[in-house]
Amino acid sequence: MLLVVHLIMIVVFVLLGILFHFGKGADLIAGYNTLPSAKKAEYDVKKLCKYMSKLMFALAVCWLVIASSELFKTMTLLWIGLCLFMLIVLFGVIYMNTGNRFKK
């Protein structure tokens, strides 16, 4: 049963990655969706979505490692997957919010 939940999470990350890859779903990005229209116009939405796509695919791989811990019944893979997941999220948030990378 737990493996099914892991697989659902992987599918969710992959679907979000595909959605963002095609430049859609920018309103699903936290922070961007709360900006006023004037501020949203300052951002390169395609570039932002491409980055989020890569982030979602990376998180799907991390979750795949977590799911494999259930298959192989080892806690080591779980901790490796969780640490990777946290590191990627931390790096992703810092990268997105520094350097004005996604401004036009």
Side-chain angles (χ1 to χ4, degrees):
M1 180 63 177
L2 189 57
L3 188 59
V4 173
V5 173
H6 289 307
L7 294 176
I8 290 170
M9 288 303 299
I10 293 168
V11 168
V12 167
F13 282 125
V14 169
L15 289 176
L16 284 171
I18 292 169
L19 181 71
F20 289 136
H21 178 75
F22 290 109
K24 306 291 183 194
D27 286 333
L28 296 175
I29 301 171
Y32 180 78
N33 62 358
T34 60
L35 289 175
S37 297
K39 288 281 190 182
K40 283 184 182 180
E42 297 175 11
Y43 286 89
D44 185 353
V45 178
K46 293 282 184 187
K47 195 173 179 182
L48 180 62
C49 284
K50 287 286 184 182
Y51 176 73
M52 286 302 295
S53 172
K54 292 173 188 174
L55 188 65
M56 291 298 115
F57 289 133
L59 294 177
V61 170
C62 292
W63 210 277
L64 188 61
V65 173
I66 293 169
S68 66
S69 74
E70 183 67 26
L71 274 176
F72 298 117
K73 302 294 184 204
T74 176
M75 291 296 289
T76 305
L77 288 174
L78 175 70
W79 287 110
I80 290 171
L82 285 173
C83 288
L84 282 173
F85 191 89
M86 294 299 172
L87 286 173
I88 289 173
V89 168
L90 184 66
F91 172 79
V93 169
I94 291 171
Y95 183 83
M96 284 179 66
N97 291 304
T98 57
N100 294 324
R101 289 176 176 84
F102 304 108
K103 295 255 181 157
K104 287 184 182 177

